[in-house]
Amino acid sequence: MCGIVAYLGEKQAYPILINGLRRLEYRGYDSAGVALLADDQLTIYKCQGKVSDLEAHINGRSTVANLGIGHTRWATHGPPNDVNAHPHQGTSGDLALIHNGIIENYAPIKEELVHRGHVFKSDTDTEVLVHLIDDIQRSEGVDLAEAVRLALANVVGAYAIVVIDRKNPDVMVAARKSSPLVIGLGEGEFFCASDATPIVEHTKNVVYMEDGEIAVLDRRQGLKIRNIKNQVKTPFIQELELHLEALEKGGYDHFMLKEIHEQSRSIRDSMRGRLNLAKGEVVLGGIKDYEQKFVNAKRILIVGCGTSWHAGMVGEYLFEEFARIPVEVEYASEFRYRNPVVNEDDIVIAISQSGETADTLAAIELAKGRGATIIGICNVVGSSIARVTHAGSYTHAGPEIGVASTKAFTAQVTVLTLMALMIGQKKGTLIGGNFHRLLNELDAIPDKVQKVLKTEAQIKYIADIYKDAPNALYLGRGYTFPVALEGALKLKEISYIHAEGYPAAEMKHGPIALIDDSMPVFVIATKGASYEKVVSNIQEVKARKGRIIAIVTEGDTVVKDLADHVIEIPETADPLVPLLSVVPLQLISYHIAVMRGCNVDQPRNLAKSVTVE
Ligand code: M6R
């Protein structure tokens, strides 16, 4: 949550910052601001609203500067308004600071600073930090970097910050703990950002900062990194693999639509080099050293949040069926706040698109502390979760910018399928013909996804009929129960229609009371183990006049006779149905949200990367 970007070099900082903020806007869009330093003057522009509102606010005013910092906010402490927008300043007015994270002990620090005569303007925790740095700088007579270090030694919480000092236009200081921060190294110029997206068009050379590090970016002396204990650290420079086109809408109206349509490609990328049909094997290089541990595992725990948790639920069915290992799937936020039984024999699979979700990170730390082996499934390369896990497999879905997760889900499920297949084969629980049949079926999934996408016109027609429904139910069974949950989440988060996902058979234990002739019920009723049972559930809904929108297997005639609408998907093996059946549900939500005039890519109150608890 919150995106930060900074520039120090010879070029004009403002266009770089604004462009960077647009790229980071998925992280929060409650307010935006920049601080620009030129001719010993700090100029701050900030306002409530989106980056476009900031541009309108600045329109025509001077932005000349080759040092600047920028911020786009997802509000935690204090409502979204002009005053709470970043950057913030201390009492002297010499410093400007941007922050992503939460300063948990801001209250006692603020009390002490107020006692020392500091006057606060905003309700934010961030303002406390800049006052503290300002206070230390002046009272201790130290330079900015040392003042930052001393201040951070007093701070409890999470932060990625960049600070600039009116008196020293050659330097910016950045620091991180539990919130991401990337440094870009150009020719005589430096960039800092919450992720690499604002940097990629300027340089491919980046340093991902580690927790507890403080970086000094100096025009004359280059980059120097120390940790909070003042020990010198050697920056590890990496080359970015990100491509600019991946960050553009590519002709689509929204990132979400582009990302839905990318799924044939992204699923293929998730399998690339891992699924070898000719040899009849699955190789996941990232977890190779842990294969035996998986084979011997008595239990797997899967942790994640939101859509990643739904993917984890599919993973539960996959691992139990293919590898016969008991699996428990936990919301990371619940797992971390109870006292779970975790031991050295456990494998914990942490799933996260962003690799930055605070609750998932905390769950990993807890499980790691108890000796479990942690395997990550992340999309963002170099992200915090990817770095704190023992091993893992990237999903390779490419950047996902729409706040609603789509291609990340199918990529996560693809990687979980590969993992479960690989372990099942190694363990001997998934033998011969079945293993090979599944490999072939999996290989065919990208083409089948492409076929599902061709139903979009029909889906749009259905969306138009149900766009004004106040509620919706989603039903699935077995492998498609998590898909029902995911379909409901998609509708809720982008169209603001109340939706519930249920196991189809559970409906009669309560939710059936909600059904009347105005209730759309989306049912995944594909051919497979639970088909007849789901058909009975559809009958139950019809008997109460509910409106059925069914996702069925191509050629189905039984459900066609019962349902108000059917959307056909190609036939595949039961365990792979989630990869196909989720696509129409993503498209339905997308089109309903567009028809309702909702901001699909930036739904209200949400942010892409939830780096607060
Ligand atoms: O980056 P992560 O996968 O860890 O994010 C987890 C959730 O915040 C995320 O899936 C969220 O639920 C999405 N908005 C769902 O579309």
Side-chain angles (χ1 to χ4, degrees):
M1 337 224 58
C2 298
I4 66 178
V5 59
Y7 176 77
L8 169 70
E10 299 301 322
K11 298 187 189 127
Q12 284 303 308
Y14 178 69
I16 294 170
L17 299 181
I18 284 291
N19 205 23
L21 288 179
R22 271 195 227 108
R23 294 254 158 80
L24 293 171
E25 204 166 19
Y26 72 88
R27 302 179 69 88
Y29 28 85
D30 289 333
S31 64
V34 292
L36 302 164
L37 178 52
D39 302 328
D40 296 336
Q41 288 301 316
L42 256 180
T43 307
I44 295 188
Y45 300 114
K46 56 183 190 173
C47 65
Q48 182 179 348
K50 300 192 184 253
V51 176
S52 54
D53 297 307
L54 176 67
E55 286 180 278
H57 171 70
I58 295 176
N59 191 19
R61 296 197 264 176
S62 170
T63 55
V64 175
N66 47 33
L67 169 58
I69 56 179
H71 187 272
T72 177
R73 179 170 187 244
W74 188 85
T76 58
H77 295 57
N81 59 29
D82 294 354
V83 177
N84 289 333
H86 298 215
H88 288 285
Q89 293 199 275
T91 302
S92 71
D94 287 339
L95 306 184
L97 177 144
I98 46 174
H99 168 220
N100 166 33
I102 287 183
I103 309 300
E104 287 171 13
N105 61 338
Y106 78 97
I109 300 177
K110 185 170 181 176
E111 202 179 306
E112 169 70 16
L113 288 166
V114 168
H115 192 63
R116 289 165 65 82
H118 292 266
V119 177
F120 286 79
K121 292 183 183 143
S122 76
D123 313 310
T124 65
D125 51 333
T126 303
E127 194 186 352
V128 173
L129 189 52
V130 68
H131 276 283
L132 182 61
I133 297 168
D134 199 20
D135 189 274
I136 291 174
Q137 202 181 14
R138 286 191 292 159
S139 59
E140 305 283 327
V142 293
D143 66 11
L144 180 62
E146 182 61 1
V148 168
R149 192 181 73 79
L150 294 172
L152 292 179
N154 288 297
V155 157
V156 178
Y159 50 79
I161 57 166
V162 183
V163 201
I164 55 174
D165 183 348
R166 185 186 64 79
K167 301 189 293 329
N168 191 353
D170 292 332
V171 168
M172 61 186 181
V173 176
R176 80 152 267 178
K177 184 178 166 243
S178 305
S179 293
L181 198 54
V182 191
I183 296 171
L185 304 168
E187 286 291 319
E189 59 186 2
F190 299 104
F191 306 82
C192 288
S194 298
D195 68 31
T197 59
I199 297 176
V200 64
E201 65 195 272
H202 306 288
T203 175
K204 292 269 183 195
N205 295 327
V206 295
V207 175
Y208 289 94
M209 287 186 71
E210 299 288 341
D211 266 358
E213 287 186 343
I214 300 164
V216 181
L217 305 125
D218 187 314
R219 284 185 207 276
R220 288 185 292 265
Q221 296 180 31
L223 167 67
K224 298 239 161 66
I225 299 186
R226 288 177 177 272
N227 66 13
I228 209 134
K229 293 183 185 143
N230 216 9
Q231 295 158 326
V232 175
K233 308 283 282 187
T234 308
F236 173 55
I237 303 173
Q238 299 186 46
E239 195 169 326
L240 276 179
E241 283 179 17
L242 194 62
H243 297 289
L244 203 53
E245 318 79 74
L247 307 173
E248 310 288 348
K249 284 192 195 140
Y252 287 92
D253 288 344
H254 297 95
F255 281 110
M256 182 182 177
L257 188 61
K258 176 188 175 218
E259 288 155 8
I260 292 172
H261 278 268
E262 277 175 344
Q263 289 178 107
S264 172
R265 195 267 311 146
S266 56
I267 293 173
R268 179 76 64 210
D269 286 349
S270 302
M271 298 194 285
R272 198 177 302 287
R274 294 167 165 176
L275 171 63
N276 189 329
L277 280 187
K279 286 192 181 162
E281 64 176 15
V282 174
V283 179
L284 286 164
I287 60 163
K288 194 121 198 51
D289 295 347
Y290 289 84
E291 255 174 35
Q292 206 48 43
K293 183 107 198 175
F294 263 105
V295 168
N296 298 335
K298 299 269 175 301
R299 179 174 74 147
I300 295 174
L301 292 160
I302 301 182
V303 293
C305 303
T307 291
S308 297
W309 181 75
H310 296 154
M313 289 184 71
V314 180
E316 174 182 12
Y317 296 132
L318 291 166
F319 270 102
E320 294 201 339
E321 182 168 344
F322 297 171
R324 308 305 297 151
I325 304 171
V327 179
E328 288 168 33
V329 189
E330 299 254 11
Y331 281 121
S333 54
E334 286 296 311
F335 180 80
R336 61 177 295 199
Y337 281 118
R338 50 189 188 83
N339 190 5
V341 179
V342 184
N343 57 54
E344 288 167 9
D345 296 330
D346 288 328
I347 290 186
V348 174
I349 301 180
I351 307 178
S352 174
Q353 187 286 130
S354 62
E356 302 295 345
T357 300
D359 285 322
T360 310
L361 266 167
I364 291 170
E365 294 303 343
L366 187 154
K368 222 175 167 183
R370 296 185 184 186
T373 300
I374 320 291
I375 304 295
I377 297 181
C378 295
N379 192 37
V380 178
V381 176
S383 56
S384 302
I385 292 177
R387 285 183 294 143
V388 298
T389 45
H390 292 111
S393 298
Y394 283 116
T395 50
H396 298 307
E400 189 181 69
I401 294 168
V403 164
S405 224
T406 52
K407 64 174 178 173
F409 174 80
T410 46
Q412 289 164 345
V413 172
T414 303
V415 170
L416 284 161
T417 308
L418 290 168
M419 260 185 203
L421 282 169
M422 183 177 96
I423 304 305
Q425 191 205 23
K426 290 271 173 303
K427 226 181 137 177
T429 43
L430 189 60
I431 34 168
N434 202 14
F435 176 73
H436 293 285
R437 184 180 65 87
L438 284 162
L439 289 199
N440 281 298
E441 289 282 5
L442 187 56
D443 185 61
I445 287 290
D447 290 341
K448 292 183 179 177
V449 166
Q450 204 54 48
K451 214 167 166 195
V452 178
L453 289 165
K454 296 212 168 90
T455 59
E456 187 166 5
Q458 184 201 356
I459 288 173
K460 221 169 153 180
Y461 169 80
I462 298 170
D464 192 39
I465 298 173
Y466 297 102
K467 64 178 185 304
D468 298 317
N471 298 292
L473 265 183
Y474 286 73
L475 304 178
R477 221 168 159 150
Y479 280 101
T480 62
F481 164 49
V483 178
L485 294 176
E486 177 60 8
L489 176 62
K490 288 291 88 83
L491 190 69
K492 274 185 268 209
E493 67 179 333
I494 60 168
S495 72
Y496 318 138
I497 294 175
H498 170 241
E500 302 269 2
Y502 260 90
E506 271 295 302
M507 183 189 56
K508 57 185 171 295
H509 297 288
I512 200 163
L514 296 167
I515 293 173
D516 60 20
D517 60 2
S518 66
M519 174 71 94
V521 184
F522 296 87
V523 188
I524 303 135
T526 46
K527 290 271 172 58
S530 312
Y531 177 69
E532 274 80 21
K533 304 271 178 224
V534 175
V535 171
S536 303
N537 300 139
I538 291 176
Q539 299 273 19
E540 289 156 13
V541 174
K542 274 324 283 176
R544 276 118 195 131
K545 299 193 168 56
R547 310 289 304 274
I548 298 282
I549 304 104
I551 316 289
V552 299
T553 309
E554 262 170 6
D556 185 298
T557 49
V558 178
V559 178
K560 209 174 201 164
D561 285 345
L562 294 171
D564 296 87
H565 314 272
V566 293
I567 301 160
E568 291 191 337
I569 62 172
E571 186 160 10
T572 187
D574 254 9
L576 308 183
V577 170
L579 291 168
L580 300 181
S581 56
V582 76
V583 177
L585 300 183
Q586 296 167 342
L587 281 169
I588 289 246
S589 303
Y590 169 79
H591 285 294
I592 288 182
V594 170
M595 288 169 189
R596 289 166 68 92
C598 299
N599 187 337
V600 171
D601 283 336
Q602 296 175 346
R604 69 185 180 205
N605 305 337
L606 287 172
K608 182 78 185 156
S609 174
V610 185
T611 55
V612 297
E613 294 173 21

